[in-house]
Short mmCIF file of all heavy atoms in Angstrom, two decimals:
data_model
loop_
_atom_site.label_atom_id
_atom_site.label_comp_id
_atom_site.label_asym_id
_atom_site.label_seq_id
_atom_site.Cartn_x
_atom_site.Cartn_y
_atom_site.Cartn_z
N LEU A 114 -17.34 -3.29 1.31
CA LEU A 114 -16.68 -3.22 0.01
C LEU A 114 -16.45 -1.79 -0.47
O LEU A 114 -15.42 -1.51 -1.04
CB LEU A 114 -17.45 -4.01 -1.06
CG LEU A 114 -17.31 -5.52 -0.97
CD1 LEU A 114 -18.05 -6.17 -2.12
CD2 LEU A 114 -15.86 -5.95 -0.99
N VAL A 115 -17.39 -0.89 -0.28
CA VAL A 115 -17.17 0.50 -0.70
C VAL A 115 -16.04 1.10 0.13
O VAL A 115 -15.33 1.99 -0.33
CB VAL A 115 -18.47 1.32 -0.56
CG1 VAL A 115 -18.24 2.78 -0.78
CG2 VAL A 115 -19.51 0.79 -1.52
N THR A 116 -15.85 0.61 1.31
CA THR A 116 -14.82 1.15 2.20
C THR A 116 -13.47 0.44 2.04
O THR A 116 -12.61 0.57 2.90
CB THR A 116 -15.28 1.03 3.67
OG1 THR A 116 -15.51 -0.34 3.97
CG2 THR A 116 -16.51 1.86 3.92
N LEU A 117 -13.28 -0.29 0.95
CA LEU A 117 -12.02 -1.01 0.77
C LEU A 117 -10.83 -0.07 0.72
O LEU A 117 -9.85 -0.26 1.43
CB LEU A 117 -12.06 -1.87 -0.50
CG LEU A 117 -10.76 -2.63 -0.80
CD1 LEU A 117 -10.49 -3.65 0.28
CD2 LEU A 117 -10.82 -3.28 -2.16
N LEU A 118 -10.88 0.98 -0.12
CA LEU A 118 -9.76 1.91 -0.19
C LEU A 118 -9.56 2.69 1.11
O LEU A 118 -8.42 2.82 1.56
CB LEU A 118 -9.94 2.87 -1.36
CG LEU A 118 -9.63 2.29 -2.74
CD1 LEU A 118 -9.77 3.35 -3.81
CD2 LEU A 118 -8.26 1.67 -2.79
N PRO A 119 -10.63 3.21 1.75
CA PRO A 119 -10.39 3.86 3.05
C PRO A 119 -9.82 2.90 4.10
O PRO A 119 -8.97 3.31 4.90
CB PRO A 119 -11.77 4.38 3.45
CG PRO A 119 -12.49 4.58 2.17
CD PRO A 119 -11.99 3.48 1.27
N ALA A 120 -10.26 1.66 4.11
CA ALA A 120 -9.71 0.69 5.06
C ALA A 120 -8.24 0.42 4.75
O ALA A 120 -7.42 0.29 5.67
CB ALA A 120 -10.52 -0.60 5.02
N PHE A 121 -7.90 0.34 3.47
CA PHE A 121 -6.50 0.13 3.09
C PHE A 121 -5.66 1.34 3.48
O PHE A 121 -4.53 1.19 3.95
CB PHE A 121 -6.39 -0.16 1.59
CG PHE A 121 -5.07 -0.72 1.19
CD1 PHE A 121 -4.78 -2.06 1.37
CD2 PHE A 121 -4.10 0.09 0.63
CE1 PHE A 121 -3.55 -2.59 1.01
CE2 PHE A 121 -2.87 -0.42 0.26
CZ PHE A 121 -2.59 -1.76 0.44
N ALA A 122 -6.22 2.54 3.30
CA ALA A 122 -5.51 3.76 3.71
C ALA A 122 -5.28 3.76 5.22
O ALA A 122 -4.19 4.13 5.69
CB ALA A 122 -6.31 4.99 3.29
N ALA A 123 -6.29 3.36 5.98
CA ALA A 123 -6.13 3.30 7.44
C ALA A 123 -5.10 2.24 7.84
O ALA A 123 -4.32 2.44 8.78
CB ALA A 123 -7.47 3.02 8.09
N ALA A 124 -5.08 1.11 7.13
CA ALA A 124 -4.11 0.06 7.42
C ALA A 124 -2.69 0.56 7.16
O ALA A 124 -1.78 0.33 7.97
CB ALA A 124 -4.41 -1.18 6.59
N CYS A 125 -2.51 1.25 6.04
CA CYS A 125 -1.18 1.80 5.74
C CYS A 125 -0.78 2.86 6.75
O CYS A 125 0.38 2.91 7.18
CB CYS A 125 -1.16 2.37 4.32
SG CYS A 125 -1.29 1.09 3.05
N GLY A 126 -1.73 3.70 7.15
CA GLY A 126 -1.45 4.71 8.17
C GLY A 126 -1.07 4.07 9.50
O GLY A 126 -0.17 4.54 10.20
N HIS A 127 -1.77 2.99 9.85
CA HIS A 127 -1.47 2.28 11.09
C HIS A 127 -0.05 1.72 11.05
O HIS A 127 0.71 1.86 12.01
CB HIS A 127 -2.48 1.14 11.29
CG HIS A 127 -2.08 0.19 12.36
ND1 HIS A 127 -2.22 0.49 13.71
CD2 HIS A 127 -1.53 -1.04 12.32
CE1 HIS A 127 -1.77 -0.53 14.43
NE2 HIS A 127 -1.35 -1.46 13.59
N LEU A 128 0.32 1.11 9.93
CA LEU A 128 1.67 0.53 9.82
C LEU A 128 2.74 1.63 9.79
O LEU A 128 3.83 1.43 10.35
CB LEU A 128 1.76 -0.37 8.59
CG LEU A 128 0.97 -1.66 8.71
CD1 LEU A 128 0.98 -2.42 7.40
CD2 LEU A 128 1.51 -2.53 9.83
N ARG A 129 2.44 2.77 9.17
CA ARG A 129 3.39 3.89 9.22
C ARG A 129 3.61 4.36 10.65
O ARG A 129 4.75 4.60 11.07
CB ARG A 129 2.89 5.05 8.36
CG ARG A 129 3.33 5.01 6.92
CD ARG A 129 3.09 6.32 6.22
NE ARG A 129 1.73 6.80 6.29
CZ ARG A 129 0.76 6.44 5.47
NH1 ARG A 129 1.01 5.59 4.50
NH2 ARG A 129 -0.45 6.92 5.61
N ARG A 130 2.51 4.49 11.40
CA ARG A 130 2.64 4.92 12.81
C ARG A 130 3.42 3.87 13.60
O ARG A 130 4.25 4.22 14.45
CB ARG A 130 1.26 5.14 13.43
CG ARG A 130 0.60 6.42 13.00
CD ARG A 130 -0.66 6.71 13.79
NE ARG A 130 -1.66 5.66 13.68
CZ ARG A 130 -2.56 5.58 12.69
NH1 ARG A 130 -2.58 6.48 11.74
NH2 ARG A 130 -3.44 4.60 12.67
N TYR A 131 3.16 2.60 13.36
CA TYR A 131 3.87 1.54 14.06
C TYR A 131 5.37 1.61 13.77
O TYR A 131 6.20 1.50 14.68
CB TYR A 131 3.30 0.17 13.64
CG TYR A 131 4.02 -0.99 14.28
CD1 TYR A 131 3.72 -1.38 15.58
CD2 TYR A 131 5.00 -1.67 13.60
CE1 TYR A 131 4.38 -2.43 16.18
CE2 TYR A 131 5.67 -2.72 14.18
CZ TYR A 131 5.37 -3.10 15.47
OH TYR A 131 6.03 -4.14 16.05
N LEU A 132 5.72 1.80 12.51
CA LEU A 132 7.13 1.87 12.14
C LEU A 132 7.82 3.11 12.69
O LEU A 132 9.02 3.09 12.97
CB LEU A 132 7.27 1.84 10.61
CG LEU A 132 6.99 0.50 9.96
CD1 LEU A 132 6.93 0.65 8.45
CD2 LEU A 132 8.04 -0.52 10.36
N ASP A 133 7.07 4.19 12.84
CA ASP A 133 7.63 5.43 13.38
C ASP A 133 7.67 5.45 14.90
O ASP A 133 8.12 6.42 15.49
CB ASP A 133 6.84 6.64 12.87
CG ASP A 133 7.04 6.85 11.38
OD1 ASP A 133 8.02 6.33 10.82
OD2 ASP A 133 6.18 7.52 10.76
N GLY A 134 7.17 4.40 15.54
CA GLY A 134 7.18 4.32 16.99
C GLY A 134 6.11 5.16 17.66
O GLY A 134 6.22 5.46 18.84
N GLU A 135 5.08 5.53 16.91
CA GLU A 135 3.98 6.31 17.46
C GLU A 135 2.91 5.36 17.99
O GLU A 135 2.96 4.15 17.77
CB GLU A 135 3.39 7.22 16.39
CG GLU A 135 4.38 8.22 15.84
CD GLU A 135 3.83 8.97 14.64
OE1 GLU A 135 2.63 8.82 14.32
OE2 GLU A 135 4.60 9.70 14.02
#
Side-chain angles (χ1 to χ4, degrees):
L114 285 182
V115 172
T116 59
L117 178 65
L118 284 183
F121 194 80
C125 291
H127 168 77
L128 290 173
R129 270 194 305 275
R130 284 189 301 275
Y131 178 81
L132 288 170
D133 292 340
E135 298 172 8

